Amino acid sequence: MRRIIAIVLAVFLIGGVAAAVVAGREDQDSSTATKTVRGVIGSEKAEFFADPDVVKALAAKGYTVETETSGSWAMEGLDLKGYDFAFPSSQAPAGELASKYHVRQPLPRPFYSPLVVVAHRSAAEVLAANGLAALGGKGNGSLHMGAYLKAAGGDRTWQQLKGAQKHGELSGTLFISSTDPTSSNSGALYLAAASYVADGGRVADGTAAVGRTAPLMRKLISVQGSQQTSTDAAFRDFVSGVGNPLVLVYESQVAALLAGGQGVDDLVVLYPDTTANSDHTVVPLTADGRALGELLGTDKELRRLAVRHGFRPQGAAAEFTAATDAHTTYLNQTLTGVRQVPVPASKVLHEMARRARD
């Protein structure tokens, strides 16, 4: 009898150990398992999603995120079947995608970034001397959109501007390099702000309004020749010292560069006094895509990492201010003196971009 009892106890003991091992493995698997979520993003967010710290923070919440890049407006022409989310750089293309794929509102908007014009100091000082800009310090200032558009409409050249003769690199027609407005968000928002100023502070609301500013919008684009489809390449060219002396980029690109300990010796960041912010908006195509979009805006660690990449978290201005205190030479933390204007409806903005490129 004692032998039978010993055998029974041994069986129970072995079974208990096995159950504990299985349970431990299940616990381990559940703590490290991640859902793979696929998305199409604007290229300005590629470095954020590739950041090992972001990958780690997302994995801690149960996500592995695979991304491909595209121009924000170009996303509308993509087949997004099999993707969990799209992440264009503003609300207008996001709204188009949401309508196309019948996505319920509201759409998550985890962070945003204003558009800025990066300039070399020589160019910024010439603009300021001619009333086209105002310098607030060593590395930042304001671009006077009304005065700039008047100069652009009059085909002004750098040589016609007082003080430009001292700088051999400042020659030819005065213009700001921007991205292709038919495929890229930043280029389209540039036209939205410029048309608002050019039309006396009115948001374009149809074909007639687009027609009133179309000649000027065409000048702003045609003078550039071939355009980039994303701000990444243009910003890299500027940082390396080649290309046009005035380039439209996202503030996030400048802030990320500074946060990484890099810089441009003669960099001046000009904030247009009238502009349209880029609200990075997630278009969830699945439940996992929506959960990810909401997580990007609510998780403290992911917000911190977004700030490290230069983005301003929605509803958390203090987090951006605290993180960029060392870079106020270049950054206008509170956007003082910057007027945010409404963006035309997507259909109108599409027509404006198309006519500007004709």
Side-chain angles (χ1 to χ4, degrees), residues 80-322:
L80 296 181
K81 183 179 180 180
Y83 290 90
D84 296 285
F85 70 97
F87 202 174
S89 303
S90 71
Q91 289 179 277
E96 289 287 300
L97 288 170
S99 178
K100 179 178 179 179
Y101 290 95
H102 309 290
V103 177
R104 68 176 173 85
Q105 300 286 347
L107 304 179
R109 291 187 296 124
F111 42 72
Y112 69 98
S113 183
L115 289 167
V116 298
V117 175
V118 288
H120 295 293
R121 173 151 289 277
S122 57
E125 289 178 345
V126 169
L127 292 180
N130 290 269
L132 303 179
L135 300 184
K138 177 184 176 183
N140 71 65
S142 174
L143 177 70
H144 297 160
M145 281 292 285
Y148 167 71
L149 292 176
K150 183 177 179 180
D155 300 316
R156 295 281 292 278
T157 64
W158 282 105
Q159 292 92 326
Q160 293 172 323
L161 299 181
K162 178 175 59 179
Q165 298 76 16
K166 296 184 294 184
H167 307 285
E169 72 277 13
L170 301 179
S171 63
T173 304
L174 171 69
F175 68 91
I176 295 171
S177 290
S178 65
T179 55
D180 183 349
T182 62
S183 62
S184 172
N185 175 68
S186 59
L189 291 183
Y190 175 45
L191 294 184
S195 66
Y196 178 90
V197 174
D199 204 22
R202 288 180 287 186
V203 180
D205 59 0
T207 299
V210 170
R212 288 195 295 269
T213 62
L216 176 58
M217 300 302 104
R218 193 173 297 115
K219 276 191 176 184
L220 296 179
I221 300 303
S222 63
V223 70
Q224 300 182 46
S226 178
Q227 290 180 290
Q228 304 278 6
T229 57
S230 80
T231 55
D232 279 356
F235 187 56
R236 285 196 299 269
D237 286 346
F238 176 86
V239 170
S240 63
V242 300
N244 194 46
L246 303 173
V247 182
L248 185 80
V249 300
Y250 294 109
E251 179 199 54
S252 59
Q253 293 170 291
V254 179
L257 186 79
L258 298 171
Q262 302 179 60
V264 180
D265 289 340
D266 63 345
L267 171 68
V268 177
V269 183
L270 298 175
Y271 287 77
D273 57 15
T274 304
T275 189
N277 278 347
S278 179
D279 288 300
H280 296 269
T281 306
V282 177
V283 182
L285 303 173
T286 66
D288 285 342
R290 181 171 291 276
L292 173 67
E294 292 172 350
L295 183 67
L296 291 172
T298 57
D299 183 77
K300 187 173 182 179
E301 176 64 5
L302 287 169
R303 287 205 312 271
R304 184 187 71 81
L305 293 169
V307 170
R308 190 168 80 181
H309 284 270
F311 299 109
R312 294 174 180 251
Q314 295 282 2
E319 294 177 24
F320 181 84
T321 301

